[in-house]
Amino acid sequence: MTHIRVINPNTALAMTASIGRCARAVASPSTKVTAVSPAMGPESIESHYDEALAVPGVLAEIAAGEREGADAYVIACFGDPGLDAARELATGPVIGIAEAAMHAATLVGRSFSVVTTLSRTAGRAWELAHRYGFATACRGVHACDIPVLDLERPPARKAVTELCAAAVERDGSDSIVLGCAGMAEFCAEVSRATGVPVIDGVGAATRFAESLVALGLRTSTRGEYARPLPKRYSGLLRDFTI
């Protein structure tokens, strides 16, 4: 049985449960999905400060997964926080949901639009599109200006769906990428409203992780993603000493 550890980098347990449901909905019957939240970190990630302080919790969950024998990992936040560091620690593949969603979008169309939460996070989405090589495919990044934890409220689903439809018309894009793990359960409704493929990074990352495990592929340890050099960490980070 393949074991995928899906890490919600924030500490909102209701959101973790939703992410777990979405990952299990697409996973193969033979795949075990464990959805977890760190014991420390922000309750939502909506700034560079939040993202930086979420990374230690993500790495602690990677270390826990290694002890439990996880085969692969999904980092379920659209900023892909700690992705590079996680790849240095994990023996199996680590997939970020932004990278997975953008890859999936380019497999079903020539272009996509991202619909995210707060306007202040749009720059990060663009940064990742450039980093992953999808800047020319990304036609636009649109913010609904709904805080992450408010996505659970009924009006949020309607607002996100309407913004997705407007983004398709405005950008002329072939698909929509949902720019927050908290939107994962919106996929079917948004797809019906827009008439285009809608990609949830949680589902895409889960299936990509499964595929890499099945193919026997893992992160290369040659060069940048080699195991970090042993050294002492002090203060609040002393438990992260390798």
Side-chain angles (χ1 to χ4, degrees):
M1 175 179 287
T2 299
H3 180 196
I4 298 177
R5 191 174 182 89
V6 179
I7 302 169
N8 171 19
N10 72 40
T11 60
L13 297 182
M15 186 171 171
T16 303
S18 171
I19 288 169
R21 288 193 298 272
C22 292
R24 293 184 191 99
V26 301
S28 301
S30 60
T31 294
K32 175 184 176 183
V33 173
T34 303
V36 297
S37 284
M40 58 179 168
E43 65 176 352
S44 62
I45 299 174
E46 297 168 311
S47 65
H48 295 293
Y49 185 79
D50 293 338
E51 186 169 313
L53 292 181
V55 173
V58 169
L59 298 182
E61 290 301 331
I62 294 287
E66 291 296 283
R67 292 191 296 271
E68 295 170 12
D71 297 298
Y73 302 85
V74 170
I75 297 180
C77 170
F78 202 76
D80 289 352
L83 179 59
D84 290 323
R87 285 174 172 165
E88 292 179 338
L89 293 182
T91 54
V94 185
I95 311 294
I97 66 169
E99 186 172 19
M102 292 180 191
H103 270 289
T106 59
L107 295 175
V108 296
R110 295 288 297 272
S111 61
F112 62 87
S113 296
V114 176
V115 170
T116 188
T117 52
L118 302 185
S119 297
R120 66 181 296 164
T121 67
R124 178 62 170 161
W126 275 117
E127 179 186 355
L128 292 178
H130 280 273
R131 172 183 170 174
Y132 298 145
F134 299 124
T136 57
C138 185
R139 294 277 179 87
V141 177
H142 307 270
C144 62
D145 283 316
I146 297 173
V148 169
L149 298 183
D150 287 347
L151 290 171
E152 297 176 0
R153 299 180 178 179
R157 189 182 296 252
K158 181 175 184 292
V160 170
T161 300
E162 291 175 350
L163 182 57
C164 289
V168 169
E169 292 302 316
R170 175 178 172 180
D171 298 339
S173 50
D174 295 333
S175 65
I176 287 288
V177 166
L178 296 176
C180 179
M183 298 178 181
E185 293 186 326
F186 296 5
C187 259
E189 185 171 336
V190 175
S191 185
R192 287 193 298 269
T194 60
V196 301
V198 177
I199 296 94
D200 147 46
V202 173
T206 299
R207 292 297 286 184
F208 282 149
E210 281 187 325
S211 298
L212 290 175
V213 172
L215 290 167
L217 296 174
R218 58 181 60 192
T219 305
S220 172
T221 58
R222 181 182 184 277
E224 185 177 351
Y225 288 143
R227 183 83 173 168
L229 297 174
K231 65 188 65 174
R232 185 170 57 255
Y233 288 75
S234 58
L236 293 175
L237 298 179
R238 61 183 177 274
D239 291 340
F240 288 85
T241 297
I242 296 174

